[in-house]
Amino acid sequence: MDKMTKKILIVFVVLVAAAVLIFAGVRVYQQKEAEEKGQSVLPKTEVGKLLAKDLELEYPGTPTEVVKLFWRMNKCMYNTNMKEKDRKALYEQLRKLYDEELLSQKGNSEKDMYAALKKDIQKFDDDKNFISSYIVEEDDQVDYAQVDGKDEATLIASVMQTSKKSKTTESYAKYICRKDSKGRWKILGWQQITAKEAEGH
C-alpha cells in the first residue's frame, strides 16, 4: 500500500468516526430534549394531577382507594384557591365516583350538587377552616356483603379539620360502595357517625 493510499484511508476512517460521533451526539440531544419536553407537560399541582386522571383507564380498584380519591379531591377543592373552571372540572371528576342511584336522587343533579358544594366551600373559607388530613380504613378492614344480588362494601373514614382558632376536630363517616356493571366500586352514600360508632365498626 503506497503512502497516498494510506493517507486516503486514514482520512476516510477519521471522517467516518467523526460522522458517528456527530450522529450519536445529535441522538443524545434529541432524546434529552424529548424527555424534558415530556416532563414539562406533566401537571405539577395537585389540581392538575387530579384533573389529568383518566378515570376510564385509571379507576381505583378497591372501595378504600375510591374513598381515598374522594377525599383527595374534596381536600383539594376545599383547601385550594383555584379557578372556577378548575373547581367545576374537578367536581365533575368527583361525580364519576358516585353510583347512578346516588346521582339520580332528588337534589343530586349536576347543577344542584355543584351549587351546594360552592355554598359549602364559601362557608368553609369564611370560617377559615382547613382540612389537614384524612384516614380511610384499609382493605382488610372493609365489610363486604351481597345486597339484592349486588356486591356492597362498608368502610369508615375520619377527617381532621383545623378551624380559625387553631382548634382541630375529627369527624367520622361511614361510606357504602357498590360495584357497578363494569365491576367498579362506586359510592352509593355516606352518613356521619360518632367516634364511638367508628370504634365499634
Side-chain angles (χ1 to χ4, degrees):
M1 186 182 293
D2 57 28
K3 289 183 179 180
M4 183 59 70
T5 305
K6 283 183 178 179
K7 284 182 180 179
I8 293 172
L9 186 59
I10 290 169
V11 169
F12 176 75
V13 171
V14 169
L15 288 174
V16 170
V20 170
L21 288 172
I22 291 169
F23 177 77
V26 169
R27 288 291 295 166
V28 168
Y29 174 78
Q30 288 175 334
Q31 266 187 330
K32 187 176 179 183
E33 192 177 48
E35 286 174 6
E36 288 176 353
K37 188 177 180 181
Q39 288 174 357
S40 67
V41 298
L42 289 174
K44 294 180 173 62
T45 64
E46 178 70 347
V47 178
K49 290 174 184 176
L50 288 169
L51 290 179
K53 268 188 172 297
D54 186 340
L55 292 179
E56 286 301 316
L57 298 175
E58 303 175 63
Y59 196 84
T62 67
T64 295
E65 293 304 317
V66 170
V67 177
K68 281 182 178 179
L69 183 56
F70 168 88
W71 270 110
R72 185 180 167 192
M73 289 181 176
N74 273 291
K75 184 181 178 184
C76 186
M77 286 192 290
Y78 278 81
N79 287 356
T80 308
N81 184 19
M82 66 180 75
K83 295 177 182 177
E84 175 67 15
K85 66 174 185 177
D86 289 339
R87 179 175 284 123
K88 182 69 164 32
L90 189 51
Y91 155 76
E92 289 169 357
Q93 282 279 74
L94 181 67
R95 280 177 67 88
K96 293 175 184 177
L97 302 179
Y98 294 164
D99 187 271
E100 285 299 324
E101 186 177 324
L102 175 62
L103 294 175
S104 65
Q105 290 176 11
K106 187 177 180 181
N108 284 355
S109 69
E110 186 173 332
K111 182 179 177 181
D112 289 344
M113 288 186 84
Y114 187 57
L117 175 70
K118 287 205 300 181
K119 186 177 179 180
D120 199 46
I121 289 175
Q122 186 59 59
K123 184 178 185 305
F124 187 84
D125 288 342
D126 292 343
D127 292 341
K128 293 181 170 42
N129 290 328
F130 185 82
I131 297 173
S132 52
S133 64
Y134 55 87
I135 298 173
V136 181
E137 284 188 325
E138 294 301 331
D139 295 330
D140 59 356
Q141 298 172 297
V142 176
D143 287 338
Y144 293 93
Q146 277 261 324
V147 180
D148 296 329
K150 294 185 178 180
D151 292 324
E152 287 192 5
T154 304
L155 62 161
I156 306 293
S158 63
V159 179
M160 299 293 286
Q161 183 176 306
T162 305
S163 69
K164 58 186 175 182
K165 296 179 181 179
S166 297
K167 181 183 178 182
T168 300
T169 56
E170 187 172 14
S171 59
Y172 303 85
K174 178 166 64 175
Y175 294 81
I176 298 175
C177 296
R178 182 168 68 183
K179 269 189 179 180
D180 68 5
S181 58
K182 295 181 180 179
R184 298 175 300 188
W185 290 101
K186 297 295 187 86
I187 296 174
L188 182 61
W190 62 88
Q191 67 178 81
Q192 296 298 125
I193 60 174
T194 65
K196 188 175 182 180
E197 287 173 322
E199 288 175 8
H201 175 68

